[in-house]
Amino acid sequence: MDKAIAMQVISWWLFFTIGKWVIEAALRKSPWGTRYQTEASCEACRVACEKDRNKQKSATLRELRQIRVLLIQLALRNGVEVEALEVIIQ
């Protein structure tokens, strides 16, 4: 009796393991499964692009600030008044 129960447990375990493998393989090749994989990879790409865009934006703003400072220094050396500079910068 114990051997019969053990065989049933093993056979059901094997059946469900193979079933799980078949379902996973089918989902990988189905439009629904590939769509999920594509959406996940697109989301990861979107996040990476957003980070790169933010880095580039901050670098651009930093460079613009440096240019603004250099222009102010240049204008002050050439004798431009501070009030005129404020109007020019805005």
Side-chain angles (χ1 to χ4, degrees), residues 55-90:
K55 285 181 184 177
Q56 184 65 32
K57 187 176 179 181
S58 66
T60 303
L61 289 174
R62 186 173 46 252
E63 300 238 350
L64 286 173
R65 284 187 202 114
Q66 289 175 350
I67 291 171
R68 180 183 249 175
V69 167
L70 290 175
L71 285 174
I72 290 170
Q73 288 175 351
L74 181 66
L76 289 174
R77 285 183 191 153
N78 289 328
V80 177
E81 294 178 9
V82 176
E83 292 83 18
L85 267 177
E86 290 177 359
V87 172
I88 293 171
I89 289 173
Q90 293 176 359

Side-chain angles (χ1 to χ4, degrees), residues 42-59:
C42 283
E43 183 63 29
C45 182
R46 234 179 262 120
V47 169
C49 288
E50 186 68 29
K51 286 181 182 177
D52 289 344
R53 194 176 306 124
N54 287 340
K55 285 181 184 177
Q56 184 65 32
K57 187 176 179 181
S58 66

Side-chain angles (χ1 to χ4, degrees), residues 15-16 21 29 31-32 34 54 61 80 87:
F15 175 74
F16 284 117
W21 179 78
K29 295 181 181 182
W32 185 73
T34 54
N54 287 340
L61 289 174
V80 177
V87 172

